[in-house]
Amino acid sequence: MKLWGITHRGAVRQQNQDAYAVRELEDGRGLAVVCDGMGGAKAGDLASKMAVETFCAHLEQLRDLEGPPP
């Protein structure tokens, strides 16, 4: 499986507030998380970036607790 991601600011906004992460898990499965910006709200880019980072950090913690896949 090939994983990739791309975002675009759209036709209205001047700033792209979207964030994403794509990962290939150790067992070969793919994971993608997308956090849509907040429609031009102040710090919407920061909020979506923090959400992606928090999600990925929790995923790493779960993986560390569970150990490697069978």
Side-chain angles (χ1 to χ4, degrees):
M1 174 185 295
K2 294 182 181 183
L3 301 170
W4 61 274
I6 189 170
T7 66
H8 188 275
R9 66 178 173 84
V12 178
R13 306 287 176 214
Q14 293 182 2
Q15 180 186 33
N16 185 353
Q17 294 189 340
D18 302 338
Y20 69 91
V22 291
R23 304 278 190 272
E24 184 174 348
L25 303 178
E26 293 169 352
D27 62 2
R29 292 181 297 163
L31 171 88
V33 58
V34 177
C35 293
D36 193 9
M38 297 177 60
K42 290 183 182 179
D45 57 329
L46 180 60
S48 61
K49 180 180 176 188
M50 287 175 60
V52 168
E53 290 172 352
T54 300
F55 180 89
C56 290
H58 283 289
L59 182 68
E60 289 294 322
Q61 287 176 349
L62 288 173
R63 191 191 71 183
D64 291 344
L65 290 173
E66 293 177 355

